[in-house]
Amino acid sequence: MLIGQVTDAVSTPLVGIASDSSLLPKFFDKIGRRMSWHIIGTICVSLSFPFIFNRCFVCSESGSEWFEVLWFVPFIMVFQFGWASVQISHLALIPELSSIDSSRTTMNSLRYAFTVIANLSVFFVLAWFLSENTDHSQIGPYDFDHFRTAGFLVVGGGLVVTLLFYLVIREPKHGRRLSRMNSFSSDASELVRMHWTSWFGHIQFYQIALLYMLSRLYVNISQVYFPFYITLTQNFGKKYVAIFPMVSYLSSFVVSTITGVPCLNRFLNRKFLFCLGLLCGLGTCVWMLFELSLLQMYSVACLIGK
């Protein structure tokens, strides 16, 4: 987890800079800057992800555990680099496909909607696999085949959708000029003209960075330790390792949809929503200290998603 996060932290700005520059060979110009990095990221993810959810082929049962860790490290790093390449290039492609704000909003909404569908599909498949094996209540080596199969299904389904994306979407050659013209014509023109080092002179930059870092820390820790909390602390069946996170994701989607309604935004500002989410998070952490019933666990999962 730590290696993956560090790799992601390093890869994200580097891929962003490379995506804005012309660092790739000339034959990539026909594809486009954004699509080229998207293809590179897709290849990295597709080749590395199956190995992450597979056995170490060169390890023996009597071998050192550190050797197994070293085996998985390169695949995790390649995956995180590919993930950053796909996400950044995909987001950067949106303003180059259209200069109309409503169209960009629609594309962002569709992107988030299909992200929800993809995550729910993975949780559903994993819950189905884990519910088949009722001999063990906790996740262990005997569930290896389930996770490996789920990993192959994720890669296969992702490749099919990605190929459809490549067949349908064409990056416009004038996309960069279109994006820059639209930026200079918007209210953010002053920010566009700022040099990137100027951000370090604004106190609000550090405030927002700190809030975002702490928010992401809460989300990441919840995702990592929630499965252990479900099976080891509350002693629920392993199928709930997929069910409760799925409930959290549904809760997050519902709350995001409701708070995105324009008429509600007039009465609820962002600071109020952030404080409300903070209170829900703190209350959930305190509630999780006690022994919970099944219904209470569903409530906790909903609050984590908020």
Side-chain angles (χ1 to χ4, degrees):
M1 185 70 181
L2 176 61
I3 294 174
Q5 292 297 311
V6 172
T7 305
D8 189 28
V10 175
S11 300
T12 298
L14 293 180
V15 171
I17 295 173
S19 178
D20 288 334
S21 306
S22 301
L23 300 179
L24 296 176
K26 288 295 183 181
F27 63 85
F28 281 102
D29 293 342
K30 297 181 180 180
I31 305 175
R33 296 176 304 133
R34 311 302 185 189
M35 295 293 285
S36 298
W37 281 101
H38 195 283
I39 293 174
I40 293 173
T42 300
I43 294 173
C44 292
V45 170
S46 302
L47 294 179
S48 60
F49 192 77
F51 288 95
I52 297 176
F53 288 93
N54 217 321
R55 289 190 175 94
C56 175
F57 300 122
V58 296
C59 302
S60 60
E61 295 182 359
S62 59
S64 173
E65 186 175 320
W66 282 104
F67 189 80
E68 294 186 14
V69 173
L70 293 176
W71 165 264
F72 288 106
V73 165
F75 299 114
I76 294 174
M77 296 179 68
V78 172
F79 171 80
Q80 290 294 342
F81 171 78
W83 181 257
S85 301
V86 169
Q87 292 295 314
I88 292 175
S89 58
H90 194 266
L91 281 171
L93 185 62
I94 291 177
E96 297 192 357
L97 291 175
S98 176
S99 60
I100 304 174
D101 289 338
S102 59
S103 298
R104 294 180 176 184
T105 303
T106 301
M107 285 188 283
N108 274 308
S109 300
L110 289 173
R111 184 179 188 273
Y112 181 69
F114 279 98
T115 301
V116 172
I117 294 173
N119 281 275
L120 292 179
S121 301
V122 173
F123 286 135
F124 177 78
V125 171
L126 195 57
W128 180 28
F129 286 163
L130 294 178
S131 61
E132 288 184 347
N133 187 359
T134 57
D135 297 335
H136 303 87
S137 60
Q138 296 183 0
I139 295 177
Y142 30 79
D143 295 307
F144 166 76
D145 291 335
H146 299 321
F147 284 95
R148 181 178 59 181
T149 304
F152 284 131
L153 289 175
V154 168
V155 173
L159 285 176
V160 171
V161 176
T162 302
L163 289 176
L164 291 175
F165 172 72
Y166 293 151
L167 292 174
V168 174
I169 302 299
R170 291 290 184 271
E171 181 179 346
K173 295 183 179 180
H174 62 283
R176 187 175 188 179
R177 180 171 56 86
L178 179 66
S179 178
R180 289 177 62 86
M181 289 177 60
N182 188 74
S183 298
F184 279 106
S185 63
S186 65
D187 296 334
S189 58
E190 295 183 1
L191 298 180
V192 175
R193 295 187 181 94
M194 289 175 56
H195 193 266
W196 66 272
T197 56
S198 302
W199 286 104
F200 297 102
H202 295 270
I203 187 64
Q204 192 176 19
F205 172 78
Y206 299 98
Q207 293 174 340
I208 295 175
L210 180 63
L211 290 175
Y212 179 78
M213 182 191 70
L214 294 176
S215 300
R216 290 303 307 174
L217 185 63
Y218 174 81
V219 173
N220 290 340
I221 291 178
S222 300
Q223 291 176 344
V224 171
Y225 288 104
F226 198 35
F228 299 103
Y229 175 80
I230 294 169
T231 56
L232 299 180
T233 304
Q234 296 295 340
N235 296 318
F236 284 99
K238 59 186 178 182
K239 66 178 181 180
Y240 291 103
V241 171
I243 294 176
F244 287 142
M246 181 168 58
V247 172
S248 297
Y249 210 89
L250 278 173
S251 173
S252 175
F253 176 69
V254 171
V255 172
S256 300
T257 303
I258 294 175
T259 55
V261 177
C263 60
L264 290 179
N265 288 332
R266 300 174 185 174
F267 303 99
L268 303 176
N269 57 36
R270 295 177 182 177
K271 292 182 180 179
F272 174 80
L273 292 175
F274 188 87
C275 292
L276 182 61
L278 178 63
L279 292 176
C280 289
L282 291 175
T284 304
C285 292
V286 174
W287 197 6
M288 292 173 68
L289 295 175
F290 303 95
E291 185 176 352
L292 305 178
S293 63
L294 181 61
L295 181 60
Q296 290 173 330
M297 277 299 300
Y298 277 110
S299 301
V300 166
C302 290
L303 289 175
I304 289 178
K306 293 179 181 180

